[in-house]
Amino acid sequence: MNLIDRFRTLRFKLTLMYVIVFGVVQTALSLVLDIGRVQQLRSNLDTLMFERAQAIVERIAGDPYRRHIAENEQAIKDVLNEFTSPGVFVQLRLKNADARLIRSDNLGLLKLPSAQAPSDRTDVSGAEFVTLTGDFPTQLLDTVDAEIRLMTIDVDLADVAPFQLQIARSMAPLNAMIGDFRRMIFLFLIVSLAAAATASWMLARHSFAPIGEIAREATRITARRLDLRLEVPRSGDEIAEKGGMVNEMLERLERSFKSQDRLLGDVSHELKTPIAVLRSEAQRLQRKQPNLADYAEFTHSVRQEMARMNDVVDSFLALSREEAKLATTEMDAVYLPEIVLDAVRHCQEVARSRGIRLVPMLPETDGDDELFVQGDPNLVRIMIENLIRNAKKYSPKGSRVEIEVSSSNQLAVVEVRDEGPGIPEDQLDKVFERAYRVARTERTAKGIGLGLAIAQSIAHIHAGRITAENREGAGSIFRIELPLAGGEAEDASTHERD
């Protein structure tokens, strides 16, 4: 995988998203920390300047000799010089007629401005603070782009001439501290982003490793190797859950493919029989001089075998449609007794020709609200007809087939009971398999063994089922159970065949 392909991976996108979100949060926190730290440092600087001003005032007010400021200028200057240091300047301005200035020696001939810009902070004591930039700080500090913090306070004490005290302090040390702090924050931000990117990349790599393994294993699964399964991690997370679902899907596909293969084999076998019969009849005609009776017999045989092949094809197509679950089928409220009577009418003529009596057993009250099911009426009729045809196929002449409709436990129940030989107990569960036929009489009944499979498939589409059991004495019972309309059974659209 080249570099560009790596940028397109979900792992890279998740890592990038995490780093961006983490970076935004970290940047916001850094800005908050920076603003708070800068305000704290500037507040500390203002506090130090104010405490220095208080100390100067106390020195002047505490000495009776220095109280006479105008007459003792040198003594006042000595006090001011005591409170200066590199980058710290002090100036005192008398509030008299001549507004005499007394400056610390490090000011030289410069004087602190009295006309200040609007102060950015005023202390409760009346001290005003402002940050100055431009020509004066540059000239005072002899540094380009210099800044000074200027504090101005008016002092009016008893027995002391009123004056204005100003202290200027270079902002260079403070700005250096702020710069160091910001560089530290920036370095921390870079390191934390790098750590977050590395951690998220490793986490994504570890999390997606099972998906990569599943993808590699999935390439080995083909239509010929549906027996293979994915190695699902035992982590219990979403990946393990989805891997298990894929394995379940593969198992259903394997069953479906095997069932289709088996059905194709059975259908092929069923088609071979009529073809072999027709070939044999044609060869027999070739070996002798046929007469009209022979041609008539051959024509009758052709019609029979062609009808058999047609039944095989129709049954195969019907079963395929049912197993596709007929996505376009509309489900309506169906009154089950009417469907049963319709199915009986369709099968009555053939049953009568074989001497078998069909006996519908319906509820006494017509329009019983408890016997409506949600489904497709044509499919429900086909399901019931298949059970009736199966019953009459194995019923002896002169017997009866009962079709009873009832309800129980939110289920509509249709029982088809015959008087045939019954079903071996070990084969009761197999009668609904495709192309499975049970020899229940001395002769094998004609058919291709798809009727019950189609019926069961239709029942599953309608969220129901069909069961088989033997009657006491003789015969068998096929029971259809379908959820009543408005019942609590699951919707047919979400029901899966077992």
Side-chain angles (χ1 to χ4, degrees):
M1 182 182 294
N2 56 40
L3 185 60
I4 296 178
D5 290 337
R6 289 185 181 276
F7 290 156
R8 296 172 180 168
T9 61
L10 184 59
R11 183 192 309 172
F12 175 79
K13 293 176 181 178
L14 289 176
T15 301
L16 181 61
M17 182 183 68
Y18 177 78
V19 171
I20 290 175
V21 173
F22 184 80
V24 169
V25 173
Q26 286 290 93
T27 301
L29 290 176
S30 299
L31 289 175
V32 172
L33 287 175
D34 179 71
I35 293 172
R37 182 60 175 167
V38 169
Q39 290 180 346
Q40 181 186 23
L41 291 174
R42 288 180 176 175
S43 178
N44 292 342
L45 177 63
D46 292 347
T47 300
L48 291 175
M49 294 175 67
F50 181 73
E51 290 176 351
R52 187 174 296 234
Q54 282 184 317
I56 293 173
V57 172
E58 289 175 359
R59 288 287 302 275
I60 294 174
D63 189 338
Y65 176 72
R66 296 192 185 99
R67 289 181 182 180
H68 303 285
I69 298 176
E71 291 82 6
N72 299 284
E73 182 177 338
Q74 185 59 45
I76 298 302
K77 179 178 285 192
D78 292 340
V79 173
L80 299 183
N81 287 331
E82 291 180 13
F83 289 91
T84 61
S85 61
V88 179
F89 309 90
V90 185
Q91 176 178 283
L92 186 146
R93 184 191 303 272
L94 290 174
K95 291 183 176 182
N96 53 18
D98 59 356
R100 183 185 303 177
L101 288 176
I102 303 175
R103 294 166 288 184
S104 59
D105 291 339
N106 59 356
L107 276 172
L109 298 177
L110 297 175
K111 60 181 180 180
L112 300 178
S114 57
Q116 304 175 16
S119 61
D120 53 28
R121 179 172 176 265
T122 301
D123 193 82
V124 291
S125 62
E128 295 183 351
F129 298 86
V130 66
T131 300
L132 299 179
T133 58
D135 294 339
F136 178 75
T138 300
Q139 185 179 7
L140 179 63
L141 299 174
D142 194 21
T143 304
V144 180
D145 297 330
E147 289 182 322
I148 62 171
R149 187 71 170 168
L150 179 63
M151 184 201 75
T152 303
I153 185 171
D154 292 328
V155 181
D156 192 359
L157 301 174
D159 300 330
V160 178
F163 61 90
Q164 183 184 73
L165 181 63
Q166 292 182 295
I167 299 178
R169 185 171 188 137
S170 172
M171 295 283 288
L174 176 65
N175 290 337
M177 293 179 62
I178 293 174
D180 291 341
F181 178 75
R182 287 175 176 171
R183 282 188 290 273
M184 181 183 67
I185 289 293
F186 180 75
L187 180 61
F188 173 77
L189 182 61
I190 295 299
V191 172
S192 61
L193 284 176
T198 303
S200 60
W201 178 267
M202 297 301 294
L203 179 61
R205 181 179 181 181
H206 176 74
S207 300
F208 285 109
I211 296 181
E213 186 64 26
I214 288 175
R216 285 188 292 272
E217 292 180 2
T219 57
R220 299 186 296 111
I221 300 175
T222 63
R224 297 181 179 275
R225 294 302 309 273
L226 287 175
D227 58 312
L228 298 177
R229 296 293 180 267
L230 302 178
E231 288 291 336
V232 179
R234 299 181 179 179
S235 56
D237 56 11
E238 292 85 349
I239 296 177
E241 179 184 359
K242 299 303 182 291
M245 293 173 64
V246 171
N247 280 340
E248 292 176 1
M249 179 192 69
L250 289 173
E251 186 174 351
R252 292 193 297 270
L253 285 174
E254 183 184 11
R255 289 201 303 267
S256 177
F257 269 71
K258 287 182 177 179
S259 181
Q260 292 289 346
D261 290 342
R262 186 171 61 251
L263 179 59
L264 288 174
D266 293 335
V267 171
S268 299
H269 176 74
E270 292 295 332
L271 290 176
K272 285 180 180 179
T273 301
I275 292 174
V277 171
L278 293 177
R279 180 183 297 172
S280 176
E281 292 288 339
Q283 290 174 349
R284 185 173 64 83
L285 284 178
Q286 289 179 341
R287 287 196 298 266
K288 68 177 184 177
Q289 295 295 326
N291 52 32
L292 290 178
D294 293 331
Y295 280 116
E297 182 180 356
F298 178 74
T299 302
H300 177 71
S301 178
V302 169
R303 284 200 301 268
Q304 281 188 327
E305 299 306 327
M306 292 299 293
R308 178 180 175 83
M309 286 191 289
N310 184 69
D311 290 341
V312 170
V313 174
D314 287 346
S315 297
F316 171 66
L317 293 177
L319 184 57
S320 298
R321 285 196 299 269
E322 308 317 325
E323 291 195 336
K325 297 194 183 293
L326 298 176
T328 59
T329 298
E330 294 291 337
M331 297 295 182
D332 301 315
V334 178
Y335 186 53
L336 201 55
E338 289 184 358
I339 301 297
V340 169
L341 286 177
D342 193 22
V344 170
R345 281 194 295 270
H346 277 79
C347 299
Q348 190 71 264
E349 183 178 351
V350 176
R352 189 180 296 114
S353 66
R354 295 189 57 182
I356 298 172
R357 188 158 61 98
L358 303 182
V359 182
M361 304 173 66
L362 308 179
E364 295 181 359
T365 304
D366 292 336
D368 191 343
D369 291 339
E370 293 186 355
L371 290 175
F372 279 92
V373 298
Q374 199 73 17
D376 179 83
N378 292 326
L379 292 180
V380 175
R381 179 179 56 79
I382 291 173
M383 173 179 62
I384 297 173
E385 285 183 8
N386 283 357
L387 294 187
I388 295 175
R389 290 192 182 99
N390 182 76
K392 66 182 179 58
K393 184 189 303 181
Y394 292 99
S395 296
K397 186 175 182 179
S399 63
R400 52 187 272 166
V401 174
E402 298 174 349
I403 305 97
E404 182 178 6
V405 183
S406 62
S407 63
S408 176
N409 298 326
Q410 294 296 319
L411 294 173
V413 180
V414 178
E415 288 190 355
V416 179
R417 300 187 286 266
D418 63 55
E419 298 176 353
I423 305 171
E425 292 293 333
D426 60 342
Q427 300 183 42
L428 283 173
D429 295 335
K430 299 179 181 179
V431 294
F432 297 105
E433 295 180 3
R434 299 168 177 175
Y436 189 86
R437 288 175 292 177
V438 180
R440 293 190 284 180
T441 61
E442 290 77 3
R443 61 182 181 85
T444 301
K446 292 183 179 180
I448 62 173
L450 291 178
L452 293 180
I454 292 173
Q456 186 70 282
S457 180
I458 294 175
H460 286 153
I461 292 173
H462 292 79
R465 65 172 183 167
I466 303 177
T467 58
E469 63 182 67
N470 288 318
R471 300 178 64 179
E472 293 184 6
S476 57
I477 302 174
F478 285 82
R479 180 180 292 105
I480 303 173
E481 294 179 351
L482 299 176
L484 292 169
E488 298 180 354
E490 64 176 321
D491 188 82
S493 63
T494 60
H495 183 81
E496 292 184 358
R497 275 189 74 171
D498 295 335

